[in-house]
Structures are given as structure tokens and as C-alpha cells.
Amino acid sequence: MQDSQMDNAPLPATNASNVLSVDAMGGDKGPATVVAGLSKFLGKNPDAQVILHGPESELAPLLAKHKITGRVAIHDAAEVVKMTDKPKDAFRKGAATSMWSAIAAVRSGDASVCVSCGNTGALMLMSTIRLRKTDGVNRPAIACLWPSRNPAGFNVMLDAGADISADQDDLLTYALMGASYARNGLDIARPRVGLLNVGTEDHKGRAELKVAHEMIAAAADAGGFDYIGFVEGGDLPTDKVDVIVTDGFTGNVALKTGEGTASLIGDLLRESLLKTPLSMLGALLARGSLKRLQKRIDPRRVNGGVFLGLNQTVIKSHGSSDATGVAAALHLAYRLAQNGFSEKLAARVASVAALAQDVPHDAGTDKPGTKTG
Amino acid sequence: MQDSQMDNAPLPATNASNVLSVDAMGGDKGPATVVAGLSKFLGKNPDAQVILHGPESELAPLLAKHKITGRVAIHDAAEVVKMTDKPKDAFRKGAATSMWSAIAAVRSGDASVCVSCGNTGALMLMSTIRLRKTDGVNRPAIACLWPSRNPAGFNVMLDAGADISADQDDLLTYALMGASYARNGLDIARPRVGLLNVGTEDHKGRAELKVAHEMIAAAADAGGFDYIGFVEGGDLPTDKVDVIVTDGFTGNVALKTGEGTASLIGDLLRESLLKTPLSMLGALLARGSLKRLQKRIDPRRVNGGVFLGLNQTVIKSHGSSDATGVAAALHLAYRLAQNGFSEKLAARVASVAALAQDVPHDAGTDKPGTKTG
């Protein structure tokens, strides 16, 4: 088992909440980029330690190049899950892969949060099977951060694509998990939760949304959040909501649409400014401001889809992340690790699960309350 | 009946394909804005004529102010459908409203395309009941234009929110109608159609999407389009697809998310450029380029959600449209009117409906082919 195999010097005795488990392989840019990001991260977090998973022969020279010693232990894992592997095929490769090894280290308690740039589907499948779902969670979700006008600079949206559907019980669970994540990941004491719909009036939308609307409202106090009701796509980047709850199909389309729109506008802005000498000069003078804007909406800064609803926390860093993106995902992981996020989330879901069974299910479905959520 | 009631001088004898029916009431900015947009439109289209619906006492002075004579006939209608009216309440007000009157004029054949800035739900309900669905269409759809990298500058997306769901037969119909609209509204001879999903691999997504995937591929030749398979949210603003097909829930969320993202970036750009004197000077020099960009992504230029699948064409102009936005919707309406779009769309749906019954329905649903689509 990779779990117990420490090929490097063992880490100094420590609290596991300071230790991250990092899959060095499987991203589009390879382990050199992951180690470069790791180096940035360690430089800013003197107490952090990392278990790094991948072929030792590749990783040891990279660590040496960045002069990283003592705070990183390598778990040797020869196989890599490829971006093109189907989840089930990746799972069959199993224990020999760096992804499996990275998950095993949080399963065993050696580390508290796992980070990987690899294949999302494979990571979700392996994580779900190896870490198991938190009691009361039927469908785990991926939460992403969304640039917004909020003071924190971001909203949380979930599910961003772990599952292609969600019923009323799942949506309630997403509300609880998203609020817990906003508290622990973004420092928002009492998050405002909204349910994504095609209009804000109570009578709009699909049947399961109307039921979830009632259930989430009833769970707000126990969940430690304010429920603001239905929100629309246009509310995603605003400051009226902190956590946006939706099914994984809609969430994934919204996320990619937002990214695509931002990318189109960025390209058009560049083309437009390069069109005349006068505007090129103007762009040069406004360079500082344009860079600040670029940084504000830089997708690398919001890197890290967080898998919620498993017994330990797993973060999916974007496959094409550069060193800055990897470092951002590690910072997020470290913050969640230090906050004891996995345990807090489990407690919150458990405390509301009982409550949810008492909520009246009379708002438009004929298959009410068949699960405990 | 409003239909025959011409309070102004009658229009000169003409082909109905030159005549638009315009609801002057119900927009957020009132009839003055609609008439200002009408004036712009008429100035650029010397052969166009318009039947204008609303209280004559308000409309006649507005027309006089813009010196519009001879080419616009007023149909007096005292009642107005409010933005806050529920669709059923609006329908009950019925025949006395300007919206009803505007629809009646295309129903009677006096005009060929109807344009309104009013309440979308009410307009859809009244239009569906009064104009009836085209043979072979189960769910009508709203098609919107999406700024993109395409030579035309736009893609077509439907359904943008007419209905909250769509089955495989509806999605096939949307593909046919969207392709027909792209041909007649955007001059794209052989549109490329894509089906919105959470991934581009054949095995991804909901069951009805996998079935629709097969059905749309099989209908491509008869429908006069190329089917490029599944597309993702990020493909919406690109040049790899002309027509994006999805259900109205997903489409509405995507549309509003894209608008919200563009609006956030625009605001942040402005704030950023106003932050330092140097960048303000830069912005001044780059003003021409920035204005070009603003125009390129100006939502007013893509104004006009087209209701597809009714026996006549109805265009919903944005409720908050200014004169430029109203003029854009009228230009679009006039282009579709002159192309005989309603008839062409009906013929295309009819020709493929028979074909669709022969497509094998074996790709992952247990309730196959129950409708003819």
C-alpha cells in the first residue's frame, strides 16, 4: 500500500491539519508546474507540510531544484491517471496511481486535505469510493468560486458538475454544504444562500425547485445561513448572494458560459486596443489599471473546485493550472485544513438532516420526502 | 374588434410582408421610446409600414412629434398589459389590450411579424393561444442572439426561456427552427448546430440528450444544417457553432449568466480606468477603441427574442429597451417578414417531422418516440 510507504525522510511529528496531500501528476503541464506552485505556497506558509505523490525519480530532482527540504515527503507512485482516461478505467489502474495514493493519505489521516490537477471524473469517482459519502449526503457536489461584487470578491456556486441532476433533498444538502464552505473558505460568518431559477417569483420553475425552496427556508437557522430565495443567472456575479445552489448540469453550463464570456470580452478588448496607435498609447498609460482588472477576474485566483459531501475534503485544481493557479488551490486547501472544515461540514449536515424530515413537503410534488438529505 | 379598426388614415395597399405590427405599450420606458425607435427604423427602411397599437390619444401626438405620416396606422387599444401582470390575468384583460391587438393584426394577415416590449410570459401565452402552434411543434421556443466570434458577430441560442423543460422531440424541433432562423435572420446558408451539454463526449449528459443527439444528427440533411454534436457553455461565444440547442431552463440561466458576467466586467473596467489620473488619460486616448468594443457587445444590438414554433412570428423586444434597442428589434422583424420566415419555418418542421418518426430511439431512454416532434 502507498499509504505507509515513505520513500523520502518522514515528516516531523505534527498535527495532520497542517499537512496537505498533493497529487503531482495528471495536470496538463506536468509535475514541474505543480512543484513550482508548491514552492510558492510553502514560501508563504512556514508551518505547512506536504505529502507529494508521483514517481520519486521525477519528483526528487524537482524538489531539489526548488531547494525544498524537510517539509515535503514523497510517496512514490509509478502510474498516472491521464486526462483522457474514462473514470472507470482510471479506477481499475487503482492503487499504483499518484491520484489513488494522494486520496489514500487523507483516508489514513496522514494528511487532512487532498489536492489534484488531474482528470475530474476519475478524481470524483476514486474519492467517492475511497473516502465515502458523509452521512446524510446522497450526491456529493463540486463547489466553485465565482468572481463577484461581494467584499470577499467571490460567490460560491454548487454543484458545478459532480452530478447531472439533483432532487429537492440534494439541493437542501448543497445549501448546507455551500454555506459551511463559505464560512470556512471565505470567512463569511452568515452566508446568504440563493436557489438558482429562471425567475425570482415563488411560482416559477420546476417542481423540485419549489419544494427545495420551502425546505431550504426551513433549514436556514439550523444551517447558520440566511435564505434569500430564488436567484437568476444574472445574480451570480452580484453582491446580493454568497452561495448559489443549483444542479450540476445547470451549474456546469453556467460556469463555462461565464468563463467563455469573460474570455471573449478580454480578447475583444485586446484586439480593440491594438487597432490604432492612439489606443495603443492609451492602453500603455492605463496599463496598471488594466492589469489590476485582469488580476481581479483572473481565473487562476479562483482555482480549486472543492468536492463537498465526502468524509474528507478533496480539491480539484484546474487541469491547465500554472504555478500561480496551483499555489491558489494549495492556499485554499490549507485554509480549509486548518479550519477543520471536513468535520464541521459533517456536523452541520447531520444536525439538519433530522430537522429536514419534519419540514412539510406540500409544495407541488407527489413524491415528498423519500430521503433524509 | 381592434382588427378592423383603423383610426388613422389606412395604410396604402401593399404586400403584408412589408407591414409590421407593433405594440407601443408595456415596455418599461413607455410609448415615447417605442415611437422614437420606430422613427429610426422607418428612416432606414423606406418601404416598411407599421400598424401601431395603443391608446390613440397618446400615440397620435408622438407620431406627430417625429413627423411620421402615411406609413403608420394606429389601432386604438385602451388597456395595457403590465410587466407585473401574471400571464393568465393579462390574458383575461384580453381584447382591449394593445398586446392582444398587436397579435390580432398578424393573425388576420394585415401584418406579417409582431413586435412587443411587454411582459414576456403574457406575450407568449397570448401568442400561443391566438396564433396557435405550427404543426409538428409541441413546445414553442424563444431564440436569442449571442455575441460571438462568428463572422456574423452572433450565434443563435434556443430555448432562452419559453418553457422550463424540453424532451428529445422538442430538442430536435429546436434544432430545425434554430437553423431556419439562422438562415433567414443571420444569412448563414448552412448553419452549424450544436446541442448544449456538460461535456462533448458521446457518453455524457442526461438520457434525453443522448437520444436527441442521434435524432438531430439524422435530421441534419433534411433540415439543411450541419450537426457538430455536443457543445459546452464555453462554446456559446465562439466561432465553432452557429445554433445552440438547449431546454429553456438551462438556456435562460446561461443567457442571464452571460449578461451578468459582461456587465460585471464592464463595470470593473470603468472603475479600474477611473482609479488613477494616468489611466484616465489612457482611457481618453483609447476612447474610440473602447467605444467600438462597447458597441460590439452592446446588448441593445442583439435585442429581440424571437418566438419560434407559432403560425406567425412574434418578437419580444427587451422591456428596458431604449430607442436603439427598439429599432434593432424592428430591423430584425422586417428582415424576417421580407424573407417569408414563418412559412419557411413551418415547411421545414413539416418536412422533417415525418422523417423523425423513422429514427431509431434506442440510445438510453425507456420511453422512446412517443411524440412526432
Side-chain angles (χ1 to χ4, degrees):
Chain A
M1 285 298 290
Q2 267 71 16
D3 294 70
S4 55
Q5 190 179 331
M6 282 276 189
D7 295 294
N8 218 338
L11 291 171
T14 181
N15 185 332
S17 72
N18 286 343
V19 185
L20 302 181
S21 174
V22 178
D23 175 11
M25 314 304 290
D28 301 335
K29 300 192 175 172
T33 301
V34 173
V35 174
L38 184 58
S39 172
K40 277 177 188 257
F41 162 74
L42 290 171
K44 294 208 173 163
N45 295 279
D47 296 328
Q49 299 186 353
V50 166
I51 306 174
L52 191 65
H53 306 262
E56 192 184 7
S57 57
E58 280 189 62
L59 300 184
L62 289 170
L63 290 179
K65 186 184 151 205
H66 285 276
K67 301 190 176 57
I68 300 173
T69 50
R71 294 164 60 198
V72 176
I74 297 176
H75 273 209
D76 189 34
E79 295 287 320
V80 174
V81 174
K82 297 200 195 81
M83 281 294 179
T84 49
D85 285 347
K86 289 197 179 171
K88 281 181 188 166
D89 298 338
F91 190 75
R92 267 183 228 115
K93 285 192 198 172
T97 65
S98 61
M99 187 181 278
W100 180 287
S101 179
I103 294 167
V106 294
R107 184 173 192 254
S108 66
D110 292 335
S112 58
V113 175
C114 170
V115 177
S116 172
C117 303
N119 182 323
T120 308
L123 185 62
M124 182 48 101
L125 181 67
M126 272 193 202
S127 301
T128 306
I129 292 178
R130 297 288 290 158
L131 303 177
R132 294 197 317 277
K133 291 184 269 186
T134 306
D135 281 346
V137 173
N138 179 39
R139 286 188 166 97
I142 301 176
C144 68
L145 295 176
W146 196 286
S148 82
R149 290 188 178 87
N150 268 345
F154 307 103
N155 297 337
V156 173
M157 186 191 72
L158 75 167
D159 175 21
D163 204 306
I164 52 169
S165 51
D167 65 17
Q168 53 257 35
D169 301 296
D170 299 320
L171 293 169
L172 169 62
T173 308
Y174 295 176
L176 295 169
M177 299 196 302
S180 184
Y181 174 47
R183 255 192 307 277
N184 291 283
L186 293 178
D187 265 340
I188 302 171
R190 196 173 171 88
R192 295 160 299 166
V193 173
L195 183 58
L196 191 58
N197 199 349
V198 294
T200 54
E201 304 90 343
D202 282 1
H203 65 278
K204 289 237 177 171
R206 299 171 177 158
E208 76 271 20
L209 287 180
K210 291 175 202 166
V211 183
H213 184 61
E214 306 278 323
M215 291 168 73
I216 296 173
D221 272 341
F225 60 82
D226 290 328
Y227 179 56
I228 64 161
F230 290 134
V231 295
E232 300 185 81
D235 296 320
L236 276 165
T238 67
D239 59 2
K240 73 177 261 196
V241 61
D242 301 306
V243 177
I244 296 104
V245 170
T246 188
D247 67 274
F249 187 92
T250 309
N252 185 271
V253 168
L255 176 64
K256 289 177 178 165
T257 301
E259 287 176 348
T261 305
S263 149
L264 173 71
I265 296 175
D267 289 357
L268 293 177
L269 178 62
R270 245 183 310 278
E271 284 166 26
S272 187
L273 289 175
L274 291 174
K275 217 153 211 172
T276 71
L278 204 62
S279 68
M280 281 172 76
L281 178 61
L284 198 66
L285 292 177
R287 211 169 134 218
S289 294
L290 291 173
K291 286 225 155 176
R292 262 197 306 279
L293 170 65
Q294 195 176 30
K295 194 175 168 194
R296 176 87 165 74
I297 57 172
D298 184 351
R300 296 177 308 173
R301 283 183 64 230
V302 298
N303 187 32
V306 181
F307 293 1
L308 300 176
L310 306 174
N311 284 312
Q312 280 85 18
T313 303
V314 175
I315 296 187
K316 167 64 172 73
S317 171
H318 204 291
S320 59
S321 297
D322 60 9
T324 304
V326 171
L330 293 171
H331 282 294
L332 175 61
Y334 193 56
R335 172 192 272 258
L336 294 176
Q338 296 210 296
N339 282 345
F341 172 58
S342 304
E343 296 73 27
K344 287 184 184 167
L345 182 133
R348 190 65 76 167
V349 171
S351 75
V352 181
L355 178 84
Q357 290 183 304
D358 302 331
V359 176
H361 284 71
D362 56 1
T365 175
D366 46 8
K367 200 171 66 76
T370 47
K371 278 172 247 156
T372 58
Chain B
M1 283 298 291
Q2 267 70 14
D3 294 70
S4 56
Q5 190 179 334
M6 282 277 187
D7 295 295
N8 219 338
L11 292 171
T14 180
N15 185 332
S17 74
N18 286 342
V19 185
L20 302 180
S21 174
V22 178
D23 176 10
M25 312 306 290
D28 299 335
K29 302 194 174 171
T33 302
V34 173
V35 173
L38 183 59
S39 172
K40 278 177 187 256
F41 162 74
L42 290 171
K44 293 207 173 162
N45 295 278
D47 295 329
Q49 301 187 353
V50 166
I51 306 174
L52 191 66
H53 307 262
E56 191 185 8
S57 57
E58 282 190 60
L59 299 185
L62 289 169
L63 290 179
K65 186 184 151 205
H66 286 276
K67 301 190 175 57
I68 299 173
T69 49
R71 293 165 59 197
V72 176
I74 298 176
H75 274 208
D76 189 34
E79 296 287 322
V80 174
V81 174
K82 296 201 195 78
M83 280 295 179
T84 50
D85 284 348
K86 288 195 180 173
K88 281 180 188 165
D89 299 337
F91 190 75
R92 268 181 228 117
K93 285 192 197 173
T97 65
S98 61
M99 188 181 277
W100 181 289
S101 178
I103 294 167
V106 294
R107 185 173 191 255
S108 66
D110 291 336
S112 57
V113 174
C114 170
V115 178
S116 173
C117 301
N119 183 325
T120 308
L123 185 62
M124 182 49 101
L125 182 67
M126 272 193 202
S127 300
T128 305
I129 293 178
R130 296 288 290 158
L131 303 178
R132 295 199 313 280
K133 292 183 268 185
T134 306
D135 281 345
V137 174
N138 179 40
R139 288 187 165 97
I142 302 177
C144 68
L145 295 176
W146 196 287
S148 82
R149 290 189 177 88
N150 267 345
F154 306 103
N155 297 336
V156 173
M157 187 191 70
L158 76 166
D159 174 21
D163 204 305
I164 53 170
S165 51
D167 66 16
Q168 54 258 33
D169 301 295
D170 299 320
L171 293 169
L172 170 62
T173 308
Y174 294 176
L176 295 169
M177 298 196 303
S180 184
Y181 174 46
R183 256 191 307 275
N184 292 284
L186 293 178
D187 264 341
I188 302 171
R190 196 173 172 87
R192 294 159 302 166
V193 173
L195 183 59
L196 191 59
N197 198 350
V198 294
T200 53
E201 304 89 343
D202 282 1
H203 65 279
K204 289 237 175 170
R206 300 172 176 157
E208 76 270 20
L209 287 180
K210 292 175 201 166
V211 183
H213 184 61
E214 307 277 323
M215 291 167 73
I216 296 173
D221 271 342
F225 59 82
D226 290 328
Y227 179 56
I228 63 160
F230 290 133
V231 295
E232 299 184 83
D235 296 321
L236 276 165
T238 66
D239 58 4
K240 72 178 263 197
V241 60
D242 301 305
V243 177
I244 296 106
V245 170
T246 189
D247 68 274
F249 187 92
T250 309
N252 186 271
V253 168
L255 176 64
K256 289 177 179 165
T257 300
E259 286 176 349
T261 305
S263 150
L264 173 71
I265 296 176
D267 289 355
L268 293 176
L269 178 62
R270 247 184 308 278
E271 284 165 27
S272 187
L273 289 175
L274 291 173
K275 216 151 212 172
T276 70
L278 204 62
S279 68
M280 282 173 75
L281 179 61
L284 198 66
L285 293 176
R287 213 169 133 218
S289 294
L290 291 173
K291 288 226 156 177
R292 262 196 308 279
L293 170 65
Q294 196 177 29
K295 196 176 165 192
R296 175 86 166 73
I297 58 172
D298 184 352
R300 296 178 306 173
R301 283 183 63 230
V302 297
N303 186 32
V306 181
F307 293 1
L308 300 177
L310 305 175
N311 283 313
Q312 280 85 19
T313 302
V314 175
I315 295 186
K316 167 64 172 70
S317 172
H318 203 290
S320 59
S321 296
D322 60 8
T324 304
V326 171
L330 293 172
H331 283 294
L332 175 60
Y334 193 55
R335 172 193 273 259
L336 294 176
Q338 296 210 294
N339 282 345
F341 172 58
S342 304
E343 296 74 25
K344 286 184 184 167
L345 183 134
R348 189 66 75 166
V349 170
S351 75
V352 181
L355 180 82
Q357 291 183 303
D358 301 330
V359 176
H361 284 69
D362 56 0
T365 176
D366 46 8
K367 202 172 66 79
T370 49
K371 278 171 246 157
T372 58

